[in-house]
C-alpha cells in the first residue's frame, strides 16, 4: 500500500495548509496520513499507536521514515493536530485514487523482444500447472516462544484495552494503569542478553502486580453494576485463569501447573478436533533451564493418559497422538507396552526417527537431520545428491551406542527420548533427555546416568 499511494501529489495540497514561513517545520503528509491509516486499521489508541510505531520497522517504513529508529517520531498529542489538518475531502480523494488504480499491478508486462505475444494464436498453453504442497514445519522460521513473562505482558496489554473500552462505553474515569512503566520494565527484561533466575523472578513479580491491579479495576467496575461485552468476558476469564496459574507457579517456585495441558485437552475435545498431540519445547538460546523435572513430566503424562482413555471410552472423535517418545517409557512402566520377543540385536524398531527414517528439507534446500536440532544442517539438495547425503552425512546421527543414557537402557531400540531437547539443553545430541525419569535398566540392573539441572551448553 505504501508504494501505491501518490504521496508527492497529496504533499503539495497538504503544504498549502502551512502558508507561513515561520515556526517549526510541520510533519510530512506521509507521516500524518500514514499514522491515521495505521490507527484506523488496527484500532489503536493514540498512545498505543505511538508505542507500536516506535517498535515496528514496517510501520516506520509506511509513514516514510528513512530507517529504523527507537525513538517515536511524534507524541500522542500530535495525532490531534493530524486529525484536524487532514480533511475528509483529502481522505476521500486518496481513497478514490486507490480504487481507480487497484488493478494497475495486475497488468501483464510486455513480452521481451524476440518472444511471441501471449495473444498469438500459435502460442502454446502453459503446461506447468498443478498443486504445490508446502510443509510449513520444515521451513525456517523465527517463532516467539510464549514464556511466562511475555504471556503476562500480553495479558496486561489486553486488560488495559478492556479497561479503556469499559470506561469509554460507560463514561467512567480511566484509572491509573502505569502502562508506560510496565512496558518499559518488560522491554528492559526482553532486551537483556542473559535472563538469570533472579531477573526472571523480578520481571514476573512486576508483571503479576500490574495484571492484578488491572483485574481489580475490572472487578470493581462489575461490582458496581457495569457489564462487559461477550468478547471481553471470554478474554477476561482466560486472563484470570492465566494469572492464577502464573501466581501459583511464582509462589511455589515451580515451572508447571498440573492441569494446564489437561484443560487444553477438554477444549480440544469440545471443539471436535480430529487429532491432538503435544511435544516439548526445545531450548534455542542458552536461556535459564526452567523446564519440568522428570517426575513432573511423568505426572503430566499420567494425567493426560487418564483423560485420553476416558474420552476414548466415551466415543470421542478426537484421535490422541502420543508423539513424545517418552510415552513409550511410560507405557512400558504401566504394562501397556512390552518388549517384543526374538528381536535382532542392533536393530532400531521405533523411537526418534532422526537418522533412522526421517530428514528435513527446508525451503532454501538445506537438508537437516532434524528440524528441531538447530545445528543439524548436513547438505543442500541443490548442491548434493540426496542418496549420498542419506548414506554418508546422516550417518553421524545413527551412532546409537553413543547415547550416554539410552545406549544402556533396555528401551534403546524403541524410545531414546528426544535428542533435540537434549541437544538444545546441554549442546550434546547424544546426551541424556532432561525429562527422562528412568534411573535403572530393569533387565541388567545397571544404573543409568541422568541429566543434572545446570548442565548448560559449553
Amino acid at each position: 500500500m505504501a508504494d501505491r499511494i501518490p504521496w508527492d501529489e497529496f504533499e503539495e495540497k497538504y503544504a498549502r495548509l502551512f502558508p507561513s514561513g515561520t515556526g517549526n517545520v510541520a510533519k510530512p503528509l506521509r507521516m500524518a496520513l500514514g499514522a491515521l491509516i495505521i490507527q484506523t486499521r488496527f484500532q489503536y489508541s493514540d498512545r498505543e499507536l505511538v508505542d507500536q510505531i516506535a517498535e515496528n520497522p514496517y510501520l516506520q517504513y509506511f509513514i516514510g521514515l528513512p530507517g529504523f529508529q527507537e525513538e517515536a517520531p511524534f507524541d500522542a498529542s500530535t495525532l490531534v493536530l493530524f486529525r484536524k489538518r487532514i480533511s475528509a475531502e483529502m481522505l476521500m480523494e486518496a481513497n478514490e485514487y486507490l480504487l481507480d488504480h487497484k488493478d494497475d499491478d495486475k497488468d501483464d508486462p510486455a513480452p521481451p523482444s524476440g518472444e511471441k505475444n501471449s495473444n498469438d494464436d500459435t502460442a502454446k498453453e502453459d503446461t506447468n500447472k498443478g498443486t504445490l504442497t508446502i510443509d510449513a514445519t520444515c521451513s525456517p522460521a523465527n517463532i516467539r516462544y510464549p514464556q511466562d513473562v511475555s504471556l503476562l505482558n500480553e495479558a496486561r496489554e489486553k486488560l488495559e484495552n478492556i479497561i479503556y473500552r469499559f470506561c469509554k462505553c460507560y463514561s467512567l474515569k480511566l484509572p491509573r494503569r502505569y502502562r508506560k512503566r510496565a512496558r518499559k520494565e518488560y522491554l528492559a527484561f526482553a532486551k537483556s542478553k542473559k535472563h538469570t533466575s533472579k531477573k526472571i523472578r523480578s520481571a514476573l513479580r512486576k508483571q503479576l502486580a500490574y495484571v492484578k491491579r488491572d483485574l481489580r479495576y475490572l472487578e470493581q467496575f462489575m461490582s458496581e453494576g457495569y457489564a462487559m461485552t461477550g468478547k471481553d468476558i471470554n478474554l477476561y476469564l482466560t486472563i484470570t485463569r492465566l494469572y492464577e496459574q502464573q501466581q501459583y507457579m511464582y509462589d511455589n517456585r515451580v515451572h508447571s501447573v498440573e492441569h494446564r495441558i489437561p484443560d487444553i485437552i477438554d477444549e480440544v475435545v469440545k471443539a471436535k478436533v480430529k487429532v491432538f498431540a503435544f511435544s516439548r519445547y526445545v531450548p534455542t538460546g542458552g536461556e535459564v533451564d526452567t523446564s519440568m523435572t522428570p517426575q513432573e513430566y511423568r505426572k503430566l503424562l499420567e494425567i493426560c493418559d487418564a483423560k485420553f482413555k476416558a474420552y476414548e471410552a466415551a466415543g470421542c472423535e478426537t484421535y490422541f497422538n502420543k508423539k513424545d517418545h517418552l510415552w513409550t517409557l511410560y507405557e512400558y512402566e504401566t504394562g501397556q507396552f512390552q518388549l517384543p520377543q526374538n528381536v535382532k540385536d542392533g536393530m532400531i524398531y521405533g523411537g526418534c526417527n532422526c537418522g533412522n527414517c526421517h530428514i528435513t528439507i527446508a525451503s532454501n534446500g538445506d537438508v537437516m537431520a532434524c528440524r528441531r536440532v538447530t545445528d543439524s544442517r548436513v547438505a543442500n539438495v541443490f548442491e548434493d545428491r540426496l542418496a549420498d547425503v542419506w548414506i554418508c552425512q546422516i550417518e553421524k546421527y545413527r551412532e546409537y551406542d553413543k547415547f550416554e543414557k539410552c545406549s544402556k537402557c533396555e528401551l534403546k531400540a524403541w524410545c531414546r527420548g528426544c535428542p533435540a531437547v537434549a541437544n538444545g539443553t546441554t549442546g550434546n545430541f547424544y546426551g541424556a533427555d532432561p525429562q527422562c525419569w528412568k534411573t535403572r535398566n530393569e533387565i541388567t540392573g545397571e544404573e543409568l546416568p541422568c541429566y543434572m539441572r545446570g548442565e548448560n551448553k559449553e
Side-chain angles (χ1 to χ4, degrees):
M1 181 187 288
D3 296 333
R4 294 173 61 183
I5 299 177
W7 302 106
D8 294 337
E9 295 181 20
F10 295 124
E11 187 73 47
E12 295 178 1
K13 300 179 181 180
Y14 184 66
R16 297 171 192 163
L17 300 175
F18 308 95
S20 175
T22 60
N24 292 332
V25 178
K27 302 293 184 184
L29 170 77
R30 179 166 178 173
M31 182 175 294
L33 180 58
L36 295 180
I37 291 175
I38 296 170
Q39 186 177 39
T40 303
R41 173 65 179 82
F42 296 102
Q43 295 296 305
Y44 291 140
S45 66
D46 289 354
R47 291 182 178 178
E48 287 175 327
L49 176 63
V50 173
D51 292 339
Q52 291 293 332
I53 290 177
E55 298 172 9
N56 194 320
Y58 300 101
L59 299 184
Q60 292 188 14
Y61 170 79
F62 185 76
I63 64 174
L65 293 181
F68 178 74
Q69 62 184 46
E70 294 186 357
E71 299 80 13
F74 51 81
D75 54 33
S77 61
T78 309
L79 289 165
V80 179
L81 302 177
F82 289 168
R83 286 189 285 268
K84 288 182 179 179
R85 291 169 181 167
I86 298 179
S87 61
E89 291 78 8
M90 188 178 297
L91 291 174
M92 288 298 296
E93 187 175 352
N95 187 48
E96 290 174 0
Y97 180 90
L98 290 175
L99 291 175
D100 292 340
H101 295 79
K102 63 184 178 66
D103 296 326
D104 288 355
D105 56 349
K106 296 181 181 179
D107 295 339
D108 293 330
S113 59
E115 293 187 9
K116 295 183 180 180
N117 191 283
S118 59
N119 295 326
D120 194 335
D121 295 337
T122 61
K124 294 183 179 180
E125 183 181 357
D126 184 11
T127 58
N128 188 18
K129 295 180 179 180
T131 302
L132 174 64
T133 303
I134 298 176
D135 182 1
T137 62
C138 296
S139 300
N142 294 322
I143 303 175
R144 177 182 70 90
Y145 181 72
Q147 295 177 334
D148 294 337
V149 178
S150 65
L151 285 173
L152 286 171
N153 176 70
E154 189 174 344
R156 175 188 59 78
E157 291 176 342
K158 292 185 181 299
L159 285 174
E160 290 167 354
N161 291 333
I162 294 176
I163 293 172
Y164 175 79
R165 290 194 293 268
F166 219 113
C167 295
K168 185 177 181 180
C169 179
Y170 296 105
S171 301
L172 300 174
K173 182 180 179 181
L174 194 63
R176 190 170 184 179
R177 294 165 291 169
Y178 300 93
R179 297 173 66 252
K180 288 186 177 180
R181 182 193 298 178
R183 182 67 178 169
K184 184 178 180 181
E185 290 173 351
Y186 169 71
L187 290 177
F189 169 79
K191 292 179 180 179
S192 61
K193 293 183 178 180
K194 189 172 183 180
H195 293 165
T196 62
S197 299
K198 186 176 180 180
K199 281 186 178 180
I200 293 175
R201 282 193 61 82
S202 176
L204 284 171
R205 184 184 71 253
K206 293 176 181 178
Q207 294 299 321
L208 282 168
Y210 292 127
V211 172
K212 182 180 180 180
R213 179 186 288 108
D214 291 342
L215 288 173
R216 188 168 64 244
Y217 287 147
L218 292 173
E219 291 172 359
Q220 181 179 350
F221 291 152
M222 289 186 287
S223 66
E224 294 173 358
Y226 301 104
M228 287 186 185
T229 63
K231 179 181 178 181
D232 286 345
I233 288 176
N234 293 332
L235 187 57
Y236 168 77
L237 294 175
T238 301
I239 294 176
T240 301
R241 185 63 181 272
L242 170 68
Y243 170 76
E244 293 172 352
Q245 293 176 346
Q246 294 295 330
Q247 188 66 57
Y248 171 84
M249 290 190 291
Y250 179 83
D251 293 340
N252 294 276
R253 293 179 176 271
V254 295
H255 306 298
S256 64
V257 179
E258 183 173 328
H259 297 290
R260 182 149 51 172
I261 291 181
D263 286 348
I264 296 176
I265 297 173
D266 295 334
E267 296 300 320
V268 164
V269 173
K270 189 184 301 182
K272 297 183 178 180
V273 174
K274 295 298 182 184
V275 181
F276 171 77
F278 64 86
S279 58
R280 287 173 285 158
Y281 167 64
V282 176
T284 56
E287 58 264 40
V288 174
D289 187 1
T290 58
S291 57
M292 302 174 71
T293 65
Q295 292 304 321
E296 287 175 341
Y297 190 64
R298 189 192 185 286
K299 180 65 175 177
L300 172 64
L301 296 185
E302 182 180 352
I303 295 172
C304 291
D305 187 46
K307 271 192 173 290
F308 293 165
K309 290 178 179 177
Y311 277 121
E312 288 170 354
C316 172
E317 298 179 2
T318 303
Y319 170 70
F320 300 105
N321 180 14
K322 296 179 178 180
K323 184 178 181 180
D324 195 326
H325 304 299
L326 288 182
W327 276 108
T328 304
L329 170 58
Y330 172 78
E331 292 184 341
Y332 174 66
E333 292 184 342
T334 56
Q336 302 176 57
F337 171 77
Q338 295 180 353
L339 297 179
Q341 300 294 324
N342 302 321
V343 297
K344 294 183 179 181
D345 187 34
M347 183 69 71
I348 297 298
Y349 294 94
C352 176
N353 290 321
C354 180
N356 183 22
C357 60
H358 166 85
I359 58 172
T360 296
I361 302 177
S363 57
N364 62 355
D366 283 347
V367 180
M368 295 175 284
C370 175
R371 63 183 175 84
R372 283 158 56 89
V373 179
T374 55
D375 56 351
S376 66
R377 181 189 180 278
V378 293
N380 188 285
V381 292
F382 300 118
E383 303 170 0
D384 305 279
R385 186 169 174 265
L386 200 55
D388 296 335
V389 174
W390 180 254
I391 295 173
C392 301
Q393 287 95 318
I394 296 293
E395 182 64 27
K396 65 179 181 180
Y397 293 95
R398 291 193 282 259
E399 301 178 75
Y400 302 112
D401 290 335
K402 279 190 174 182
F403 280 103
E404 296 177 357
K405 180 176 183 178
C406 300
S407 61
K408 303 175 177 62
C409 178
E410 69 270 29
L411 294 175
K412 180 182 75 171
W414 296 273
C415 177
R416 301 184 304 286
C418 182
V421 176
N423 183 75
T425 305
T426 66
N428 182 6
F429 180 84
Y430 290 108
D433 188 313
Q435 274 80 49
C436 178
W437 60 88
K438 202 170 193 316
T439 59
R440 181 170 170 269
N441 187 315
E442 299 301 328
I443 297 177
T444 65
E446 181 181 3
E447 295 293 329
L448 302 178
C450 297
Y451 164 78
M452 300 298 294
R453 190 176 294 272
E455 293 180 10
N456 297 324
K457 296 181 181 180
E458 295 180 357

